[in-house]
Amino acid sequence: MCGIVGYVGGRPALDVVVEGLARLEYRGYDSAGVAVLADGKLATAKRAGKLVNLRGALEEEPPPEGTLGMGHTRWATHGAPNDRNAHPHVDCTGSVAVIHNGIIENFAELRAELEEGGHRLLSDTDTEAVAHLLEDEVKAGGGLVEAMRRVCGRLEGAFTLVAVHTGDPDLVVGARRNSPLVVGVGEGENFLASDVAAFIAHTRDAIELGQDQIVELRADGVTVTDFEGRPADVKEYHVDWDVSAAEKGGFDYFMLKEIAEQPRAVADTLLGRIGTDGRLHLDEMRIPDRELREVDKIIIVACGTSYHAGLIAKYAIEHWAGLPCEVELASEFRYRDPILSPTTLVIAISQSGETMDALMAVRHAREQKAKLLGICNVNGSTLPRECDGVLYTHAGPEIAVASTKAFLTQLVAVYLIALYIAQVRGTKWGDEVFAMVQLLERMPEKVEKVLETMEPVRELARSLSNERCVLFLGRHVGFPVALEGALKLKELAYMHAEGFAAGELKHGPIALIEEGLPVVVVVPPRAREVLHDKIVSNIQEIRARGARTIVIAEDGDESVEPYADTLIAVPAVPTLLQPLVTTVPLQVFACELATAKGHDVDQPRNLAKSVTVE
Ligand code: AGP
């Protein structure tokens, strides 16, 4: 998820663009760059690191003053965050520049075709291929708009593109598929951006672009067409948010925005990893299949929410890949004497890639000669550099301290790894892997469906804001979901909350049950009869002792209705994938309850987004 700004009008473009990027820096900040068109020439500047580095470069070598330009803050998905990979990217002639947000799935074949055609590509990014494709299409005639139209017809994946060409110095062209782009309509000037925060200081009149649309931006007007060249219907609106709300996409908190982004984040984490043949392609992990076949044990190390993702991974790995899998708190692992060998695969899960406990666990495993794989959300962070391979989640920047979209994308990553190992080791037939992959591809819409039904959960949360304690129960992959729900409530509402394996109730915790005590129960799909029936019995046991039962179960599960004081229905999905839908109500519940208590949901007391100390 990157920040994009485009401008054409009467003012110095550089000022408008850099100021707009500053408003978007929360969207991604591992590098930044600008392009300005002046006197028929294209001037670009780009720097790794935060925007302040680019500002310094622009002060040292100010580009010529022009009234047309564009800029980009990067959240790297392909290619390390360095100057070379920063956007904008230009073609061989230096007359076309392009910036991009999203993932172009077929970039490898496009790059190969371009290099065979004599193009020299200098970066490791998927984006640079677009600059050279535009170069060829501009040469073929029709100008930048038609060139963009033809290029978009060749791209697969998610993309917002903005491009300029010296051959038409009054024109900025944008295109979007599965990635945001909005137009700001001014007086004698017009804007393009990833979201309105970039331009509402100048205009509050906006146009939301739709799927597969192309926008031609000139100082005196805006034209929107579809990829086939037909005029497109567009939605004009007036933005009444303040700048701070705009940075949060109109939400009161980044956490609410990030909860809402989960369908997109899950979809983006799947992008480019499923072949048209239905087989998984994870060579980006850089661990050869032969070495994966030699693995005889997997140990997962992580902290907090990431640890809960590891607990869910265990069920998937053992069921699909047929390998023994241990899950350890990173802070405990490094003080153990784990029995590791070169055929042990240690998987470290960390959103930030900077959690010291996780890094120290990785170093401990390295000393024991284990093979190391990272699952991380931040390209260029420390964890990927210390592992043999990495599988990035594509959640985009997660600003709120309480992890939400990163967690769901960690689940997608561990599912992909477990299925890939099963594919490589042959513990699951190709058609079995394909069938599960197809179900995974439908999860974004399932998560979206959950998000559409959360109002009763918010009402429930507000009604419980004076409670002292909430318990969470689950079985199988529902147990780590119960732990995650309890953690969210602890870190946001500062309430005592505890997650239990429901089977453990009778071994002690049931003594906690008293009249009116809220207990959230995550119920497995009915297809898992044994598990399902046992947890229905657990619900009856706690209800008989006065608990207020809040039951999360799949749509149509009538068996739990007589014992649920509150029933939260989620879409029916396969057992192992159920955490993707059952976690979301618990995120919303904790966020709403904390809000009702007047807490700062994005910055809870005593916590930091990344715990870089042991
Ligand atoms: C989760 O909401 C917390 N922010 C915390 O438990 C977090 O998951 C943990 O600190 C691990 O962080 P990491 O994923 O960046 O390593």
Side-chain angles (χ1 to χ4, degrees):
M1 182 164 78
C2 306
I4 280 182
V5 182
Y7 174 76
V8 56
R11 281 187 271 181
L14 189 64
D15 297 347
V16 175
V17 166
V18 172
E19 177 201 328
L21 291 181
R23 296 275 179 227
L24 299 179
E25 198 168 10
Y26 73 87
R27 290 176 66 90
Y29 40 68
D30 53 44
S31 58
V34 294
V36 175
L37 225 167
D39 310 325
K41 290 194 181 62
L42 204 50
T44 62
K46 48 190 190 175
R47 283 293 183 277
K50 287 187 177 273
L51 190 56
V52 64
N53 296 356
L54 177 66
R55 286 181 192 273
L58 292 168
E59 275 158 27
E60 275 172 32
E61 287 184 62
E65 197 162 288
T67 58
L68 182 145
M70 62 183 186
H72 184 273
T73 55
R74 186 169 180 240
W75 180 266
T77 54
H78 293 79
N82 54 32
D83 293 2
R84 191 165 55 88
N85 289 331
H87 302 204
H89 290 283
V90 298
D91 69 322
C92 301
T93 67
S95 62
V96 175
V98 67
I99 54 181
H100 167 226
N101 178 18
I103 298 165
I104 296 170
E105 289 188 56
N106 59 332
F107 82 95
E109 64 195 70
L110 293 171
R111 281 180 70 105
E113 176 194 308
L114 287 161
E115 284 164 341
E116 276 160 32
H119 288 270
R120 282 188 61 250
L121 281 76
L122 307 175
S123 78
D124 310 320
T125 66
D126 51 347
T127 307
E128 191 184 358
V130 175
H132 295 271
L133 289 171
L134 286 170
E135 175 189 355
D136 285 349
E137 292 301 340
V138 164
K139 275 184 194 148
L144 184 59
V145 175
E146 292 316 310
M148 178 65 86
R149 212 185 304 285
R150 292 193 292 266
V151 168
C152 286
R154 300 202 54 200
L155 305 181
E156 293 166 18
F159 51 86
T160 291
L161 297 168
V162 175
V164 296
H165 175 230
T166 55
D168 194 336
D170 304 315
L171 172 67
V172 180
V173 176
R176 75 168 296 277
R177 168 179 285 171
N178 289 333
S179 181
L181 186 62
V182 61
V183 178
V185 182
E187 294 291 324
E189 60 182 8
N190 289 304
F191 308 78
L192 276 178
S194 313
D195 70 43
V196 297
F199 58 67
I200 61 170
H202 307 295
T203 179
R204 290 179 174 275
D205 294 324
I207 297 172
E208 183 79 42
L209 292 180
Q211 188 72 326
D212 289 6
Q213 290 185 346
I214 285 182
V215 56
E216 302 165 50
L217 202 81
R218 298 178 186 279
D220 60 359
V222 175
T223 306
V224 182
T225 52
D226 64 18
F227 281 5
E228 281 68 43
R230 297 179 294 248
D233 296 332
V234 290
K235 183 178 78 172
E236 299 187 21
Y237 63 100
H238 184 79
V239 182
D240 48 18
W241 297 328
D242 63 24
V243 172
S244 163
E247 287 177 351
K248 300 181 181 74
F251 290 96
D252 291 337
Y253 294 106
F254 277 114
M255 183 176 177
L256 290 171
K257 177 170 174 289
E258 288 154 11
I259 288 173
E261 287 171 343
Q262 292 184 115
R264 176 79 267 147
V266 168
D268 284 351
T269 302
L270 289 167
L271 270 184
R273 291 162 170 173
I274 302 167
T276 47
D277 58 358
R279 288 176 60 81
L280 291 174
H281 299 282
L282 298 187
D283 32 22
E284 67 192 273
M285 285 198 302
R286 299 199 315 276
I287 296 183
D289 290 355
R290 171 185 48 76
E291 290 182 20
L292 286 176
R293 286 193 195 94
E294 290 162 1
V295 168
D296 56 17
K297 179 165 79 168
I298 291 178
I299 295 182
I300 298 173
V301 293
C303 308
T305 289
S306 300
Y307 170 71
H308 299 152
L311 290 173
I312 291 164
K314 174 187 173 70
Y315 292 91
I317 289 168
E318 291 179 341
H319 185 72
W320 288 329
L323 277 172
C325 179
E326 297 171 22
V327 187
E328 281 276 0
L329 287 169
S331 55
E332 288 296 315
F333 177 76
R334 61 193 288 317
Y335 297 108
R336 250 188 55 189
D337 298 312
I339 313 302
L340 308 180
S341 77
T343 56
T344 305
L345 176 65
V346 172
I347 301 176
I349 306 176
S350 175
Q351 186 284 133
S352 61
E354 300 299 347
T355 298
M356 190 49 71
D357 286 328
L359 295 176
M360 297 308 284
V362 160
R363 291 165 191 163
H364 189 51
R366 171 75 72 197
E367 287 161 16
Q368 319 283 324
K369 309 282 183 273
K371 198 171 307 307
L372 291 162
L373 173 64
I375 294 175
C376 187
N377 193 45
V378 183
N379 199 312
S381 59
T382 304
L383 179 73
R385 290 202 298 273
E386 304 215 3
C387 291
D388 299 306
V390 61
L391 190 69
Y392 284 107
T393 51
H394 293 153
E398 188 175 69
I399 309 298
V401 166
S403 187
T404 52
K405 63 177 183 174
F407 177 67
L408 258 56
T409 58
Q410 287 168 349
L411 296 185
V412 172
V414 298
Y415 293 145
L416 288 171
I417 290 168
L419 286 167
Y420 185 75
I421 295 174
Q423 174 180 290
V424 163
R425 290 166 52 86
T427 48
K428 286 294 172 195
W429 300 113
D431 57 353
E432 292 174 306
V433 172
F434 183 47
M436 189 50 70
V437 163
Q438 285 184 305
L439 290 166
L440 253 179
E441 288 185 300
R442 296 197 54 207
M443 292 313 290
E445 74 192 59
K446 303 286 188 185
V447 175
E448 190 65 59
K449 196 160 177 298
V450 175
L451 290 169
E452 291 164 0
T453 60
M454 287 293 98
E455 195 43 46
V457 172
R458 293 187 193 94
E459 285 165 23
L460 171 70
R462 290 192 289 269
S463 73
L464 297 177
S465 60
N466 294 321
E467 288 295 331
R468 287 177 305 103
C469 165
V470 178
L471 301 186
F472 295 75
L473 302 183
R475 280 182 183 265
H476 197 260
V477 290
F479 168 37
V481 172
L483 294 175
E484 175 60 11
L487 176 61
K488 285 286 154 304
L489 206 56
K490 283 177 213 167
E491 62 178 333
L492 293 166
Y494 316 151
M495 284 169 73
H496 178 66
E498 198 159 350
F500 295 104
E504 272 298 287
L505 262 180
K506 54 189 174 300
H507 300 291
I510 200 162
L512 290 170
I513 304 299
E514 54 193 27
E515 189 60 33
L517 177 68
V519 182
V520 177
V521 186
V522 182
V523 177
R526 283 161 293 173
R528 296 302 308 273
E529 285 125 26
V530 169
L531 273 180
H532 177 273
D533 297 349
K534 286 194 183 309
I535 211 160
V536 173
S537 306
N538 296 140
I539 297 171
Q540 291 170 317
E541 288 157 16
I542 60 175
R543 197 139 190 273
R545 290 164 174 80
R548 174 176 176 171
T549 55
I550 299 158
V551 177
I552 301 177
E554 68 180 6
D555 283 328
D557 185 350
E558 294 165 358
S559 65
V560 294
E561 282 177 18
Y563 318 109
D565 293 310
T566 303
L567 180 56
I568 299 165
V570 294
V573 299
T575 304
L576 286 170
L577 305 186
Q578 206 191 35
L580 286 169
V581 293
T582 52
T583 304
V584 176
L586 302 184
Q587 297 167 343
V588 172
F589 176 76
C591 185
E592 188 67 21
L593 203 157
T595 304
K597 292 167 85 81
H599 294 175
D600 177 351
V601 165
D602 284 340
Q603 299 285 346
R605 70 184 183 194
N606 309 337
L607 294 176
K609 183 59 186 169
S610 179
V611 182
T612 56
V613 294
E614 272 199 285

